Amino acid sequence: MALWFIARSNSSSKMVRRRAILGNPDVLGTGSWSQMLHNDFWGTPLVDSGSHGSYRPLCVASFKLNYLLDGFKPFGYHLVNVLLHSLATGLVVKLARHLLPAGRSGVAIAGLLFAAHPIHTEAVAGVVGRADLTGCIFYLLALLAYIRHVRWRQWGDRRQWLALAATVLLAAAALLCKETAVTALVVCAIYDIIKGYAGSRDKLGLNAHCPGNIHLILNMLYLYLGPRSVFTVPPSSFH
C-alpha cells in the first residue's frame, strides 16, 4: 500500500511539472508574451472548457525567463525559488519591525520562523510553488506600501497618494501570481482600522499597543502560510 501511494505521488508530480512548465506553450515560447494574459497557469485558454481556471501570468512569465536563460536545467529554477524565499524573509522582517513591539528579539524570531518553517518546504523546493513565493513578495510589498501611505497621511504629506497607488499596483501584481492575494487590500483596510483605533487610545492616554497587531501579521502572511486555495495544485520539483 505504501509503495502504491509513493508511485501515485511521483506520477502526480510528473504530471504537474509537465503541464505547468515542461509542456506549457507559454513557457516554451510557442506563443507571444501577450498570450499569457489569455491563458491559465497551464497554458490553456481561459475560455476553453478544459481550463483549470488559475490565472497567474506573472508566475508563468518567470518560468519563461528561466527557460530562455537555461532551458529546463533544474538548477536555475531552484536557485530563483531560493532567492525569492530569501527576499520574502527579508520583507517579513521589515514588516515585523512595523507591527511588533520595540525590541529585536520578536523581529528576529519572526524572521527565523518564517525562513525555516517546514510548511514552506513545498513552496521553495517545488518549482511550481513559485506562485506562492512571488505572490507572497508582492503581497508583503503592498502591505509595506500601505503602511507608508498611512504614515504619510498622518503627516499630511502629499506622497501619501503615491504610496496608495503603489499599494494598489502591488496588490494587483500579487493577484496575478496567486489567487489568494485577493485578500491584500482587505488586510490593508484592517490595518488602517486597527491603526486608527490605537491612535484613539493614544489620545485617551491609554495603552497604545493593540494586541490585534500581533495577530495581524499572521493574516498578512495568509497567502504563504495559510490553507491552499481551491485553485492551487500542490507544487513539485524537478528531479
Side-chain angles (χ1 to χ4, degrees), residues 141-142 145-146 149 152 158-173 185:
L141 287 172
Y146 193 76
H149 160 73
W152 282 343
R158 292 183 178 180
R159 290 179 297 175
Q160 62 176 291
W161 302 112
L162 181 62
L164 184 60
T167 300
V168 174
L169 291 175
L170 289 167
L185 295 180

Side-chain angles (χ1 to χ4, degrees), residues 38-148:
H38 305 284
N39 296 341
D40 64 14
F41 190 51
W42 314 105
T44 305
L46 290 168
V47 296
D48 193 296
S49 59
S51 173
H52 185 266
S54 52
Y55 188 63
R56 306 167 188 173
L58 287 184
C59 182
V60 175
S62 74
F63 290 146
K64 184 169 184 176
L65 287 174
N66 260 128
Y67 175 74
L68 292 175
L69 290 173
D70 206 21
F72 285 130
K73 294 181 180 179
F75 178 78
Y77 292 84
H78 288 295
L79 176 62
V80 170
N81 275 25
V82 171
L83 292 176
L84 289 173
H85 180 59
S86 300
L87 176 57
T89 301
L91 292 173
V92 167
V93 170
K94 187 174 180 63
L95 184 62
R97 288 174 178 168
H98 287 286
L99 301 180
L100 297 180
R104 296 182 178 180
S105 58
V107 173
I109 291 173
L112 289 173
L113 282 176
F114 187 88
H117 200 290
I119 200 172
H120 298 160
T121 302
E122 279 190 306
V124 180
V127 175
V128 183
R130 190 176 299 179
D132 296 278
L133 296 169
T134 52
C136 175
I137 288 172
F138 284 116
Y139 199 109
L140 292 170
L141 287 172
L143 295 172
L144 289 169
Y146 193 76
I147 290 173
R148 182 60 58 89

